[in-house]
Amino acid sequence: MKNYTDEDSGLAKKLKKYNTDRSAQSDVRDARIPDLSFARWSQTEDEMSEASTTQFVGEFNIIGRERKNIQAEFRQNEVEVKYRSKKGDNDDLDEFMQGKYRTDRRLSKSRQCFSIAQDDAIDCGFGAWRLHTVDDDSEDMLSTTQEVRRSPIPEAIRRVWFDSNSKLADKSDAKHCSLITSFTRDGYECWLGENDIEEQSTISFDSPERSIYERVYGSEMQYGLHTSVNEINILEFYEIEDEAEMYWLYLGVDENGQEKVDGLPAKEAKAMGMPEPFKKKKLTKQVCKKTVTNGIDILMESYVPGGCIPIIPMYGERNFVDGIENFYGIVKAAKDPQKLINSAYNYLTSLMMFSPVPKPIYDPRQIEGFEHLYEDANNHDLAFQYQNTYYETEKGETLNFQQQYTQPPPVPPAVGQILAGLPALTDSILNPGVTEDSFNSQMSGVALQQIKEQIGVMRFIYVDNWAEAMRHDADVYAKMLAAITDTTKVMVLTNVDGTTKDGMANEQFYDVNQMSVVVRNPIKDAKFEVYSDVGPSHTSQREAALANLKEIFDTLPPGDPMQQIVMLSILAQQDGEGLDELNKVARYQMLGLGLDGIEPQTEEEAEFVARKQQEAQMQNNQPPLQEQILLMQEQTKQLQAQQAMMREQNQAQANQIKAYQAQTGAQNDQANTLLKQVDSETKRMEAMIKAEQAGADIENTNMDTVKKGVESQMMQADIAEKQLDMDIRNLPTDELIRLMSQ
């Protein structure tokens, strides 16, 4: 550890910049630091406590209500960060980066950092947190991977000073930033051991900012982060520097024979004995250097990954006055009305608690003779008391006693006027435009929504500034992550609806189309444009959507086709134990309707939609119903034509049989003639003729049988034709379509 006492040393220059930034902001912070105590600690421990003459001193906090309203706005509205790669359109890489950012933003420590900064911005107008790197596995000595994490900066108005020359709200144009961190003595020794620092003497840096307001009005206001004598402070000084390096460029050829340009640092090229390049180019790289000091010694020096100041500021309301940055929260405008309300109510309370109780005033003659009954005014044993109602004057006149009472001190008219106007005044300051008293239970939903939007005007300013802080946080986060992620690594990614999945950063694979090794999700050295959108959280959006869908469902007439779609949408968005199956069924029914605008969200849903589309395409390939009926009628005509052809064929066969029978009859006649002519033939010839006649008879019998069979077939064909025509007429339309599709 070196000692830097020379005024020209680097440490002296850093301390000078710190003092310059602190001096430029001292007046603004002196005015705003007391707002923290006023909003969180006490509204009476200031100059008003010395000016108060009342016996009762209390707080009637109206500011606290608006603080809670703005805190609720922060919780109900999420800032959605969107990345866009600078190296071209790469939706996969953009979504990968957004999923990784959502995962780390959901960590409990990150959420606490955001809450602390939000409360500071609400009260005094300025809050901050910081990003840093930690080992991914601190128990593995061989692990070199790191993660980006956040740390809180409570009461950042006391501890963070940006470059006084910077003008942007996110301080991305700041060249340096100072941060004071406080430890107890034990905590400081632990920090030295964790960072392997050996400090010979314990020296504390300048204490955190104490305003003039706090130093003047009582020691009870000296409530720093640590107020013990063992408090030790260190200064973390972040500074942006430009590192320039000369490169020598050479022409070469890649694997595909294409010309390419290779570059080498000039120092390496000279050491390798490379020839003169065809071109020299000087590159300037921005780096962020971190110096930790106790004001005398430099305890530690390092570089911040990503080259950005890792402290993220957040403002309540911000402007410039005479070139000086000015900021404030809700306390600034409401502090004076709040003090008047406290004073007025304390005055009335003191009158009520400590003013004398009204008592009767008696003339001694009025209770003459009954004095013993009035000695104990709280004696409840007496049912009644005696009292003289008249007396006689010296002139003998009889007069009645006039009863009188002591009177309490009157309330000054000014107090009554203040009490009547201050609540409305304070509400108008905290809620400009329309106050919450403007609500009417008879108003329509649209009118109520418009009034709510007017009430939230001032709150939206805080939410919008919160969105700007988150955008800068996402930008610095991406640069730090790109600098420390140089190997293949599995990361947990979070979707918009809160579900998670695993993703691989810097994943290398061989692309067959490009015939080369390609890197998927190249986080290393990736550069992004960062945008932010502010709006209701996913849960709030779902609840609002369900409420709107229910109203729409109630307004639709019974039997409207849209009712089914709306009901399925309501069922698909139900959240609760045991509703997953119902959600899935409703979701698939919606996808099965095939309506435009209902897109699949998972691979399983995409497969279901593709299957449904294929089935629909098959059905679309079939002709319309009317065409199918005409086609069936045409097929019926063809069948009838075939039946007519069969009848003609059967008739031809019958004609052939008749011709054969006629021929056979002629042969028989000829045989008879021959028999008559050859009557003298021998018995042998008669036997032969008888045998031939017997054969002809058998053949005639067979022909008769064939004729009867043909006639029977024609009759059956005619019956079948009539039955088929009747069946076709009686078949339902869907059955006709099914038969045609077979």
Side-chain angles (χ1 to χ4, degrees):
M1 183 174 60
K2 300 180 181 180
N3 183 277
Y4 299 84
T5 57
D6 189 0
E7 294 183 357
D8 296 331
S9 67
L11 178 58
K13 294 179 180 179
K14 291 177 174 59
L15 294 178
K16 184 178 180 180
K17 293 178 180 178
Y18 157 73
N19 289 323
T20 300
D21 298 337
R22 182 166 178 170
S23 299
Q25 281 284 306
S26 60
D27 292 340
V28 175
R29 302 201 181 203
D30 285 347
R32 297 282 69 82
I33 288 177
D35 294 347
L36 294 174
S37 174
F38 192 87
R40 305 175 183 180
W41 182 258
S42 174
Q43 297 178 353
T44 59
E45 295 181 3
D46 53 15
E47 72 276 10
M48 293 299 295
S49 62
E50 298 181 3
S52 177
T53 59
T54 60
Q55 293 178 280
F56 176 83
V57 179
E59 296 181 7
F60 303 89
N61 195 345
I62 296 179
I63 298 177
R65 180 191 63 183
E66 185 59 24
R67 290 184 76 249
K68 292 181 174 60
N69 288 336
I70 299 179
Q71 288 173 344
E73 291 288 340
F74 283 133
R75 274 43 168 198
Q76 292 175 356
N77 292 278
E78 286 188 355
V79 176
E80 180 64 20
V81 173
K82 298 181 180 180
Y83 288 95
R84 186 181 186 279
S85 176
K86 290 184 177 181
K87 294 183 179 180
D89 191 9
N90 192 339
D91 294 339
D92 293 337
L93 179 60
D94 297 345
E95 183 60 34
F96 185 93
M97 192 66 207
Q98 289 170 203
K100 175 60 177 172
Y101 180 76
R102 292 192 198 100
T103 298
D104 290 345
R105 190 178 64 179
R106 292 176 61 190
L107 296 177
S108 174
K109 190 173 182 180
S110 295
R111 297 177 66 86
Q112 294 181 56
C113 293
F114 300 151
S115 297
I116 292 173
Q118 290 168 357
D119 289 344
D120 287 347
I122 293 172
D123 295 335
C124 67
F126 180 75
W129 67 90
R130 64 175 172 178
L131 298 170
H132 60 94
T133 58
V134 297
D135 291 335
D136 195 9
D137 188 353
S138 59
E139 297 180 356
D140 186 358
M141 59 180 293
L142 300 179
S143 176
T144 58
T145 58
Q146 292 184 317
E147 287 284 354
V148 181
R149 292 292 181 264
R150 297 176 179 84
S151 294
I153 307 178
E155 297 181 305
I157 192 173
R158 302 174 181 271
R159 304 182 179 276
V160 177
W161 288 269
F162 279 96
D163 181 5
S164 57
N165 294 311
S166 61
K167 304 302 180 184
L168 298 179
D170 59 5
K171 298 303 179 184
S172 58
D173 58 340
K175 295 299 182 182
H176 50 266
C177 178
S178 304
L179 169 64
I180 291 181
T181 304
S182 298
F183 300 93
T184 62
R185 183 172 296 276
D186 292 340
Y188 182 63
E189 293 177 356
C190 181
W191 179 83
L192 293 175
E194 291 176 352
N195 294 276
D196 195 21
I197 300 174
E198 295 181 1
E199 186 180 9
Q200 301 299 327
S201 60
T202 301
I203 301 173
S204 180
F205 190 72
D206 189 13
S207 61
E209 175 76 1
R210 298 270 191 251
S211 69
I212 297 174
Y213 177 95
E214 291 178 304
R215 289 196 295 268
V216 172
Y217 297 107
S219 60
E220 66 274 8
M221 297 297 295
Q222 303 277 347
Y223 67 100
L225 182 63
H226 300 291
T227 57
S228 66
V229 295
N230 294 328
E231 179 182 0
I232 298 175
N233 305 311
I234 60 173
L235 173 67
E236 299 178 25
F237 188 83
Y238 298 88
E239 188 170 18
I240 299 296
E241 298 178 354
D242 293 331
E243 291 186 353
E245 188 172 7
M246 185 65 70
Y247 279 81
W248 287 8
L249 304 182
Y250 297 92
L251 292 177
V253 180
D254 60 11
E255 299 176 352
N256 299 325
Q258 300 293 328
E259 187 179 90
K260 69 173 182 176
V261 178
D262 293 325
L264 288 175
K267 295 180 180 179
E268 296 182 10
K270 292 178 181 179
M272 296 170 59
M274 298 290 291
E276 283 294 318
F278 80 94
K279 184 179 180 181
K280 296 180 181 180
K281 187 173 183 180
K282 185 178 182 180
L283 298 181
T284 302
K285 182 180 180 181
Q286 179 177 290
V287 297
C288 180
K289 187 176 181 180
K290 175 183 176 182
T291 303
V292 182
T293 178
N294 57 11
I296 298 178
D297 302 322
I298 291 181
L299 305 179
M300 185 171 57
E301 289 182 311
S302 61
Y303 285 94
V304 178
C308 295
I309 296 176
I311 297 179
I312 312 300
M314 177 187 173
Y315 291 91
E317 296 193 54
R318 175 178 179 268
N319 50 46
F320 287 88
V321 179
D322 293 334
I324 302 299
E325 183 183 56
N326 180 43
F327 51 80
Y328 51 89
I330 65 171
V331 177
K332 176 181 180 295
K335 181 187 293 186
D336 291 339
Q338 178 67 71
K339 290 180 180 179
L340 288 177
I341 288 177
N342 290 340
S343 299
Y345 279 110
N346 285 335
Y347 181 82
L348 289 180
T349 305
S350 297
L351 289 180
M352 178 188 67
M353 295 176 61
F354 302 106
S355 62
V357 177
K359 298 179 181 178
I361 301 175
Y362 292 104
D363 186 294
R365 293 171 295 178
Q366 190 174 0
I367 59 174
E368 184 178 1
F370 308 110
E371 292 86 353
H372 64 284
L373 298 178
Y374 291 87
E375 292 178 355
D376 186 3
N378 294 324
N379 188 355
H380 299 289
D381 294 335
L382 298 176
F384 59 89
Q385 291 181 312
Y386 294 99
Q387 184 180 15
N388 299 318
T389 59
Y390 65 91
Y391 65 96
E392 294 183 358
T393 64
E394 296 178 354
K395 297 181 180 181
E397 297 177 344
T398 302
L399 300 177
N400 293 328
F401 290 105
Q402 299 296 327
Q403 188 66 52
Q404 298 181 3
Y405 291 87
T406 59
Q407 298 297 323
V411 177
V415 176
Q417 293 178 359
I418 290 176
L419 291 176
L422 273 179
L425 174 62
T426 307
D427 197 30
S428 65
I429 292 174
L430 294 175
N431 297 302
V434 181
T435 65
E436 294 185 357
D437 294 336
S438 302
F439 280 104
N440 187 341
S441 60
Q442 303 299 324
M443 287 184 176
S444 65
V446 176
L448 289 175
Q449 182 63 29
Q450 291 176 349
I451 290 181
K452 289 182 179 180
E453 292 175 357
Q454 289 295 325
I455 291 176
V457 168
M458 184 174 180
R459 302 170 192 169
F460 183 77
I461 295 175
Y462 287 80
V463 176
D464 188 58
N465 290 338
W466 161 244
E468 178 59 27
M470 291 301 298
R471 186 207 61 78
H472 184 54
D473 173 85
D475 188 17
V476 177
Y477 175 90
K479 293 178 179 178
M480 295 182 70
L481 186 67
I484 64 176
T485 307
D486 55 358
T487 59
T488 301
K489 183 180 180 181
V490 177
M491 297 181 176
V492 179
L493 311 180
T494 303
N495 300 318
V496 178
D497 58 358
T499 59
T500 59
K501 62 182 179 181
D502 290 338
M504 183 75 73
N506 300 322
E507 180 183 5
Q508 297 183 1
F509 67 98
Y510 186 79
D511 192 337
V512 179
N513 297 326
Q514 299 183 14
M515 301 296 291
S516 62
V517 177
V518 180
V519 179
R520 183 185 288 117
N521 300 325
I523 296 298
K524 179 183 178 182
D525 298 329
K527 297 181 180 180
F528 299 92
E529 294 286 354
V530 186
Y531 308 91
S532 63
D533 291 332
V534 60
S537 63
H538 181 75
T539 301
S540 300
Q541 290 179 1
R542 185 181 66 241
E543 292 176 353
L546 286 174
N548 292 334
L549 288 173
K550 291 177 182 177
E551 291 183 2
I552 294 173
F553 182 83
D554 294 337
T555 58
L556 293 174
D560 193 320
M562 284 297 295
Q563 270 196 338
Q564 180 185 6
I565 301 174
V566 175
M567 178 55 67
L568 291 175
S569 300
I570 295 174
L571 296 176
Q573 297 185 47
Q574 294 297 317
D575 186 20
E577 187 68 24
L579 296 177
D580 294 341
E581 294 182 356
L582 178 62
N583 295 347
K584 189 173 183 179
V585 171
R587 177 69 182 166
Y588 275 88
Q589 287 188 7
M590 291 178 61
L591 293 172
L593 296 176
L595 301 175
D596 294 336
I598 303 178
E599 302 295 336
Q601 298 178 355
T602 62
E603 294 183 0
E604 185 179 359
E605 290 182 357
E607 293 177 357
F608 174 79
V609 171
R611 187 168 62 253
K612 284 293 183 180
Q613 290 177 349
Q614 185 177 5
E615 294 177 358
Q617 186 176 5
M618 293 177 61
Q619 293 180 358
N620 292 335
N621 291 335
Q622 295 180 357
L625 178 60
Q626 186 174 2
E627 294 183 4
Q628 292 181 12
I629 294 174
L630 294 175
L631 181 61
M632 292 185 65
Q633 291 177 352
E634 183 66 24
Q635 291 179 348
T636 302
K637 292 180 180 178
Q638 293 178 0
L639 182 59
Q640 292 175 350
Q642 292 177 359
Q643 292 176 350
M645 186 180 296
M646 290 179 62
R647 284 197 297 270
E648 291 178 358
Q649 292 176 355
N650 293 335
Q651 186 65 35
Q653 291 179 359
N655 293 334
Q656 290 178 0
I657 293 173
K658 290 180 179 180
Y660 184 77
Q661 289 177 345
Q663 182 180 2
T664 305
Q667 291 177 356
N668 290 334
D669 292 341
Q670 185 179 3
N672 291 330
T673 303
L674 291 174
L675 287 173
K676 290 178 179 182
Q677 293 176 359
V678 212
D679 186 55
S680 59
E681 290 184 350
T682 60
K683 292 181 179 181
R684 181 180 63 84
M685 291 296 293
E686 289 179 356
M688 292 176 62
I689 292 172
K690 288 180 181 181
E692 185 178 356
Q693 186 176 5
D697 292 339
I698 294 173
E699 188 174 358
N700 288 334
T701 303
N702 292 336
M703 292 302 295
D704 291 338
T705 303
V706 172
K707 178 180 178 182
K708 292 179 180 179
V710 171
E711 292 176 350
S712 176
Q713 289 180 359
M714 291 179 64
M715 185 179 297
Q716 291 177 357
D718 188 41
I719 295 173
E721 179 182 358
K722 293 180 180 179
Q723 183 65 35
L724 178 60
D725 183 70
M726 185 178 296
D727 292 340
I728 291 175
R729 294 178 182 275
N730 295 332
L731 280 177
T733 303
D734 55 350
E735 184 65 20
L736 289 176
I737 295 174
R738 188 185 66 80
L739 292 174
M740 291 302 301
S741 62
Q742 294 180 351

